């Protein structure tokens, strides 16, 4: 044998070794299995966040995923944006892998409809047909003693069994009949077909009832659950499970654009989740803009729910969306001295951070009985950038003499470093919870006294949409006191300002540029509380006070 032939044989042996290693790892680790069964798809490559989800699933079924009490979690909730591979990586594949490892067990997969359930069942069935030999049982000599293959008598997409065992899988649409042996793994993928269903109180109740009275009754004593769906509403199934049984559920949540650093997948705040598939930050920002510009698609609320996994109720929680009044911020209103009283309000980031925590800054004004949010910043800032922004607003809004800074986190350091450079710094010591502070000024929203810009005049006669208004409204609508983690920086900055401004006199200036033309484009104001819109109603707390 010459050198060329030896090298050829060596390469063949190495390739055979690699193939055997891939097969062995596909049997042992779910992430490797997903990559192995999709290896013929040249466009598919397991993303880092998908690999993390797969590893969590392995830990779940091995009872290695435990809560703070050291108890194994019963299930995993997975919420990621649309078209990010959740069904392909999980629902279309996990059944075949699980039955390969536990051929005598039973799997139930549930979707919102029978058609989708058939698809999930068919994809798992195909993988058992094509890759089932990974899990053939062999004796010490390597002889096959049980082939891992489909049963010859039960092998439909909706229900199939494994030959020589009592194990198998059934797929159903939600509400469909689930019969047979108790399940050892239950996967529920997208119980909601669209936003209308997710927002419907009747359908919300139907899904929860199905979960409690049908799906859970089919679980064995050792059953594990995987619930995966894009978030639509905070009262959807994932929201219900995390709220009612937090110790039983491990939450996996990845927004399209990272809100904080995610060391588990090596992603930094502000980075896209799946840029390798063309969904980079530029694509995502364009997608966000399309939602903002199309209320029929759900507006910013839909973007926050579907892509950022920050769902809210349809109406809002403490602060309802319709309670905000809208106005046009004219050039005259932007001149120093127009408002009787203005104030900056800052919610700073935590101490000793690297600048990845969000900071919110507001400028609020008061006129008569009404309160106006006229400027806003919300971005990730370290202490230096926070001070620079306060300084910049000191120039832009010189009549906002008071600068309210909460006396926690980086607040005390900001005050100490700026005290001799910027006047009017006021430390606000919070003696009540966030919810209590917001609740104290909640009547201002209910009474229609809180305004946020609809348009901003940027040059004489030229108006632009206020791009940040929808973000503020959505954050207030999403705020719930019982949530452990939530975006509430704008809520803190706003409630801090309103609690302070409430006791400040704000008499009408001698000449006021505000009139009906600046409200709702001059159209008659609608009542948000029902009943006929009367002149008395429009004047109550309105122009007659100015």
């Amino acid at each position: 044998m010459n050198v060329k032939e030896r090298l050829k044989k060596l390469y063949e042996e190495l390739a055979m070794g690699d193939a055997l290693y891939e097969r062995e790892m596909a049997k042992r680790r779910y992430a490797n299995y997903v990559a192995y069964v999709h290896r013929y798809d040249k466009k598919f490559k397991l993303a880092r966040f998908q690999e993390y989800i797969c590893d969590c699933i392995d830990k779940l079924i091995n009872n290695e995923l435990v809560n703070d009490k050291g108890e194994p979690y019963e299930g995993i909730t997975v919420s990621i944006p649309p078209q990010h591979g959740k069904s392909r990586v999980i629902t279309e594949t996990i059944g075949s892998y699980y039955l390969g490892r536990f051929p005598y067990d039973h799997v139930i997969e549930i979707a919102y409809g029978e058609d989708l359930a058939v698809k999930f069942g068919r994809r798992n069935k195909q993988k058992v047909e094509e890759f089932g030999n990974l899990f053939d049982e062999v004796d010490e000599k390597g002889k096959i003693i049980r082939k891992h293959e489909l049963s010859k008598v039960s092998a439909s997409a909706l229900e199939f069994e494994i030959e020589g065992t009592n194990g198998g899988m059934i797929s159903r649409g939600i509400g469909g009949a689930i019969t047979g042996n108790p399940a050892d793994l239950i996967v529920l993928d997208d119980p909601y077909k669209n936003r209308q269903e997710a927002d419907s109180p009747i359908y919300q109740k139907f899904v929860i009832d199905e979960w409690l009275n049908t799906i859970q009754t089919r679980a064995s004593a050792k059953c594990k659950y995987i619930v995966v769906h894009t978030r639509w509403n905070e009262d959807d199934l994932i929201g219900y499970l995390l709220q009612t049984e937090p110790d039983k559920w491990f939450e996996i949540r990845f927004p399209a654009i990272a809100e904080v650093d995610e060391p588990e997948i090596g992603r930094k705040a502000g980075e896209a989740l799946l840029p390798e598939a063309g969904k980079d930050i530029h694509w995502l920002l364009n997608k966000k803009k399309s939602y903002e510009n199309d209320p029929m698609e759900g507006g910013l609320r839909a973007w926050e729910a579907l892509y950022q996994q920050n769902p809210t109720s349809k109406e809002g929680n403490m602060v309802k969306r319709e309670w905000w009044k809208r106005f046009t911020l004219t050039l005259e209103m932007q001149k120093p001295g127009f408002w009787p009283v203005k104030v900056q309000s800052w919610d700073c980031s935590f101490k000793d951070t690297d600048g990845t925590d969000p900071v919110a800054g507001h400028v609020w004004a008061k006129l008569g009985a009404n309160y106006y949010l006229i400027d806003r910043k919300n971005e990730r800032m370290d202490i230096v950038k926070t001070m620079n922004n306060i300084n910049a607003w000191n120039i832009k809004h010189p009549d906002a003499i008071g600068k309210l800074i909460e006396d926690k986190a980086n607040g005390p350091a900001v005050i100490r470093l700026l005290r001799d450079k910027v006047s009017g710094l006021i430390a606000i010591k919070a003696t009540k919870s966030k919810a209590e502070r917001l609740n104290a000024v909640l009547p201002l929203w209910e009474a229609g006294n809180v305004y946020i810009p609809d348009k901003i005049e940027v040059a004489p006669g030229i108006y632009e949409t206020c791009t940040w208004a929808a973000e503020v409204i959505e954050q207030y609508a999403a705020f719930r006191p019982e949530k452990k983690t939530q975006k509430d920086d704008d809520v803190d900055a706003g409630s801090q300002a309103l609690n302070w401004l409430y006791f400040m006199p704000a008499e009408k200036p001698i000449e006021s540029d505000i009139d009906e033309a600046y409200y709702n484009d001059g159209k008659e104001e609608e009542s948000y509380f029902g009943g006929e819109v009367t002149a008395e109603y429009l004047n109550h707390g309105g122009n007659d006070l100015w």
Side-chain angles (χ1 to χ4, degrees), residues 91-248:
T91 322
E92 296 178 6
T93 308
I94 184 60
S96 62
Y97 172 78
Y98 184 86
L99 290 174
R101 290 191 53 191
F102 310 101
Y104 294 85
D105 280 5
H106 301 88
V107 178
I108 294 177
E109 291 198 350
I110 301 168
Y112 68 75
E114 193 85 348
D115 290 345
L116 191 58
V118 168
K119 175 186 173 183
F120 292 155
R122 183 174 64 249
R123 295 288 168 83
N124 279 282
K125 174 174 171 274
Q126 290 170 344
K127 291 177 176 67
V128 174
E129 291 174 326
E130 187 172 354
F131 303 103
N133 58 12
L134 284 171
F135 302 99
D136 287 346
E137 291 184 24
V138 297
D139 59 17
E140 295 177 354
K141 296 180 180 180
K143 181 181 178 181
I144 297 175
I145 58 177
R146 186 192 66 83
K147 289 182 68 65
H148 188 77
E149 59 187 2
L150 293 172
S151 167
K152 296 177 178 58
V153 296
S154 178
S156 72
L158 283 175
E159 189 166 347
F160 63 82
E161 294 180 354
I162 303 300
E163 183 70 21
T165 75
N166 192 34
M169 172 175 153
I170 66 173
S171 303
R172 294 288 186 270
I174 191 164
I178 302 174
T179 58
N181 294 297
D184 305 292
L185 176 68
I186 293 178
V187 182
L188 179 56
D189 187 332
D190 268 340
Y192 308 96
K193 185 176 182 179
N194 50 40
R195 176 162 49 94
Q196 286 71 30
E197 284 190 352
D199 280 342
S200 166
I202 295 174
Y203 195 80
Q204 288 172 5
K205 184 177 184 301
F206 165 73
V207 171
I208 301 302
D209 286 346
E210 278 296 302
W211 175 262
L212 294 174
N213 301 319
T214 303
I215 298 171
Q216 281 195 323
T217 63
R218 304 311 308 161
S220 70
K222 68 171 187 176
C223 184
K224 297 295 185 182
Y225 303 91
I226 301 172
V227 177
V228 48
H229 65 75
T230 298
R231 302 299 305 273
W232 291 93
N233 188 298
E234 63 186 355
D235 295 319
D236 57 24
L237 181 58
I238 287 181
Y240 170 82
L241 295 174
L242 294 176
Q243 183 178 344
T244 58
E245 300 176 322
D247 292 336
K248 294 182 179 181

Side-chain angles (χ1 to χ4, degrees), residues 304 338 409 459 483 502:
E304 284 291 327
F338 175 85
K483 281 187 180 179
Y502 181 77

